[in-house]
């Protein structure tokens, strides 16, 4: 059996090696390392893939989130509501801009932001909601957009983990994750479903005026060289990373399907285990169906309900199986973001999840032998 990787980037690279090497070589030959032709071509290709009017590439996903908030003109003291159960980057940029983060609980089935908790958290100071499309599927965007319209709020989609996922509205309209809110951010960190070979990110919007503002912000606030019209940052996707992403983008749907196939095999193995809760999709399908692309499985995350999660992590590692706990500490308990406003009773789901969740290897190169080995280890240990 091949060595099991949490994310097998080398294996994926081997399948597209010639095209990747040729694309990088072309950039080196052109020496157009910043804002070169590959950056502009990737921007257009991603716009076409997503069906969104504007893609603005930038240096990384965290920058993308920050720039979204800068572009919307949020001011110090404005409240921004987001999920307690996610990576710190989401709340980090809120704090960096001297905005006021307001953390709320998540749904126990999808792990995405709890819309009812969002509604309870809205105050006259609230200016934006940041739903995180966690682990590969969209938050309840219909309900969130309705809330935003009712209270005149912005919706900033954190789409770092769900690029390529579909959102099906209650009216039947199908849209790509990251194209529904007022603006969205994504990350091209190497382990993402669409990852480059360094850092990279992008911002999506259908708002022409907002897109224009953001294009200035990412480039030191310049629209004309040496004319600084707004306060900006230096955040650019370099041409080599754009070339890598151009090679991968046409394969994104295929890569996501391979992840779904692996998730289905995991699901089948864990189907009758009383101490294991499998991932649930936002459309509440019976398991992971063959036709639904609502979940792209950036992570395949189980809940271990008999108190053996931490011991299972050690057991898997001892047997050569990497795994992850995303996330071990709620954001409201992190030293940097602790706040006396928070009440533990408001975070019952998150506080439970951090004790139970475990993410298994998930990538495009998983084979049946590896999946059988992983699932056998998990089932035998949990039931022992």
């Amino acid at each position: 059996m091949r060595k099991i990787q949490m994310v097998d980037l080398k294996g994926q690279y081997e399948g597209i090696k010639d095209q990747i090497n040729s694309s990088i070589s072309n950039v080196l030959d052109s020496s157009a390392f910043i804002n070169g032709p590959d950056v502009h071509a990737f921007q257009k290709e991603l716009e076409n893939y997503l069906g969104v009017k504007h893609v603005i590439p930038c240096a990384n996903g965290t920058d993308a989130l920050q720039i979204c908030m800068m572009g919307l003109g949020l001011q110090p003291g404005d409240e921004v509501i987001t999920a307690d159960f996610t990576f710190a980057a989401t709340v980090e940029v809120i704090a960096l801009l001297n905005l006021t983060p307001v953390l709320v609980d998540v749904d126990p089935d999808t792990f995405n932001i709890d819309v009812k908790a969002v509604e309870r958290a809205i105050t006259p100071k609230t200016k934006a909601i940041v739903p995180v499309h966690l682990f590969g599927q969209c938050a309840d965007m219909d309900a969130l957009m309705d809330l935003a319209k009712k209270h005149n709020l912005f919706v900033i989609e954190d789409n770092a983990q769900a690029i390529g996922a579909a959102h099906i509205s209650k009216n039947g309209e199908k849209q790509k994750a990251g194209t529904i809110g007022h603006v969205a951010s994504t990350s091209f960190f190497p382990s993402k479903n669409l990852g480059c070979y360094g850092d990279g990110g992008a911002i999506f919007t259908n708002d022409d005026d907002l897109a224009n503002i953001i294009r200035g912000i990412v480039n030191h606030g310049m629209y004309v060289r040496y004319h600084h019209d707004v306060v900006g940052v230096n955040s650019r996707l370099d041409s080599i990373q754009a070339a890598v992403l151009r090679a991968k983008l046409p394969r994104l749907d295929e890569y996501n399907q391979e992840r779904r196939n692996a998730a289905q095999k995991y699901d089948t193995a864990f189907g009758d285990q009383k101490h294991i809760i499998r991932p649930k999709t936002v459309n509440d399908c019976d398991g992971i169906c063959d036709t639904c692309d609502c979940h792209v499985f950036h992570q395949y995350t189980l809940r271990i309900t008999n108190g053996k999660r931490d011991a299972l992590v050690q057991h898997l590692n001892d047997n050569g199986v990497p795994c992850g706990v995303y996330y071990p500490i709620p954001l409201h308990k992190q030293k940097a973001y602790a706040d006396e406003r928070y009440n533990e009773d408001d975070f019952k789901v998150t506080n439970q999840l951090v004790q139970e969740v475990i993410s298994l290897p998930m990538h495009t190169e998983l084979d049946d032998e590896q999946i059988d080995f992983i699932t056998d280890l998990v089932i035998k240990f949990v039931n022992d």
Side-chain angles (χ1 to χ4, degrees):
M1 183 177 67
R2 293 183 297 114
K3 182 180 179 181
I4 297 173
Q5 308 283 349
M6 191 67 181
V7 180
D8 188 359
L9 295 176
K10 184 176 181 181
Q12 187 186 69
Y13 165 67
E14 290 295 334
I16 54 175
K17 184 175 183 176
D18 290 344
Q19 185 175 355
I20 290 287
N21 290 354
S22 175
S23 297
I24 292 174
S25 180
N26 288 340
V27 174
L28 296 176
D29 287 341
S30 73
S31 298
F33 299 121
I34 301 295
N35 287 331
D38 277 293
V39 176
H40 300 292
F42 173 67
Q43 171 191 326
K44 294 297 182 185
E45 289 159 5
L46 188 55
E47 287 170 350
N48 291 336
Y49 173 81
L50 293 170
V52 71
K53 289 179 70 175
H54 304 284
V55 167
I56 302 101
C58 62
N60 56 70
T62 306
D63 277 6
L65 265 176
Q66 178 176 323
I67 292 161
C68 287
M69 295 178 194
M70 294 172 68
L72 291 170
L74 301 184
Q75 297 297 310
D78 288 347
E79 292 179 356
V80 180
I81 300 172
T82 194
D84 188 40
F85 186 65
T86 186
F87 183 60
T90 312
V91 69
E92 178 179 66
V93 297
I94 300 171
L96 281 170
L97 293 172
N98 289 318
L99 309 172
T100 301
V102 178
L103 298 169
V104 299
D105 213 353
V106 296
D107 179 85
D109 292 332
T110 67
F111 310 138
N112 279 322
I113 198 165
D114 181 337
V115 177
K116 291 181 179 178
V118 172
E119 188 167 21
R120 289 193 297 269
I122 294 172
T123 76
K125 293 183 178 181
T126 306
K127 293 296 185 289
I129 306 167
V130 184
V132 180
H133 299 328
L134 201 70
F135 298 157
Q137 65 177 331
C138 285
D140 185 350
M141 291 301 295
D142 282 340
L144 289 169
M145 294 305 293
D146 287 346
L147 262 185
K149 184 176 181 180
K150 178 181 177 181
H151 295 278
N152 193 29
L153 305 176
F154 295 117
V155 175
I156 304 166
E157 295 178 72
D158 182 341
N159 195 38
Q161 298 187 14
I163 193 163
H167 177 268
I168 302 173
S169 297
K170 54 192 174 186
N171 64 5
E173 183 181 6
K174 194 172 186 179
Q175 296 169 276
K176 293 289 189 185
T179 67
I180 306 154
H182 298 93
V183 66
S185 65
T186 199
S187 166
F188 301 126
F189 187 78
S191 63
K192 304 300 186 188
N193 292 38
L194 179 63
C196 55
Y197 291 165
D199 268 320
I203 300 150
F204 317 144
T205 186
N206 286 304
D207 185 321
D208 296 339
D209 292 336
L210 180 57
N212 183 60
I213 293 168
I214 288 172
R215 286 195 180 96
I217 291 173
V218 301
N219 190 32
H220 297 289
M222 292 189 294
Y223 300 94
V224 177
R225 192 164 178 81
Y226 300 125
H227 292 254
H228 303 275
D229 295 344
V230 297
V231 175
V233 297
N234 176 25
S235 187
R236 296 175 293 217
L237 179 70
D238 72 68
S239 298
I240 288 177
Q241 303 307 333
V244 171
L245 291 165
R246 290 190 71 197
K248 286 189 171 187
L249 179 58
R251 297 171 170 83
L252 178 57
D253 288 342
E254 175 189 339
Y255 288 159
N256 286 341
Q257 185 57 53
E258 288 169 352
R259 287 171 176 266
R260 278 192 292 271
N261 292 343
Q264 283 181 316
K265 292 169 185 175
Y266 277 139
D267 256 32
T268 299
F270 296 132
D272 59 353
Q273 300 300 312
K274 65 179 181 178
H275 300 304
I276 299 174
I277 299 177
R278 299 173 295 169
K280 294 185 180 179
T281 60
V282 70
N283 288 339
D284 200 26
C285 301
D286 183 14
I288 303 163
C289 64
D290 293 324
T291 57
C292 183
D293 52 359
C294 64
H295 204 317
V296 295
F297 289 97
H298 175 63
Q299 302 291 349
Y300 181 88
T301 302
L302 301 173
R303 293 175 62 185
I304 306 300
T305 60
N306 62 351
K308 299 180 72 171
R309 192 277 309 277
D310 290 345
L312 175 60
V313 170
Q314 186 63 53
H315 180 67
L316 291 175
N317 289 337
D318 289 346
N319 285 273
V321 176
C323 58
V325 174
Y326 311 115
Y327 298 92
I329 304 171
L331 289 177
H332 80 274
K333 291 185 178 180
Q334 297 282 359
K335 183 177 180 180
Y337 307 112
D339 194 303
E340 61 184 12
R341 294 173 299 147
Y342 295 135
N343 186 329
E344 288 303 317
D345 288 341
D346 293 330
F347 300 101
K348 291 179 180 178
V349 174
T350 296
N351 287 339
Q352 186 71 25
L353 291 178
V354 297
Q355 298 176 50
E356 296 180 346
V357 292
I358 181 172
S359 297
L360 301 181
M362 173 52 67
H363 51 81
T364 58
E365 311 305 307
L366 278 171
D367 61 38
D368 289 351
E369 184 181 19
Q370 292 173 317
I371 292 172
D372 288 345
F373 181 76
I374 295 165
T375 54
D376 285 348
L377 275 175
V378 171
I379 291 168
K380 289 175 182 177
F381 185 83
V382 169
N383 290 323
D384 187 7

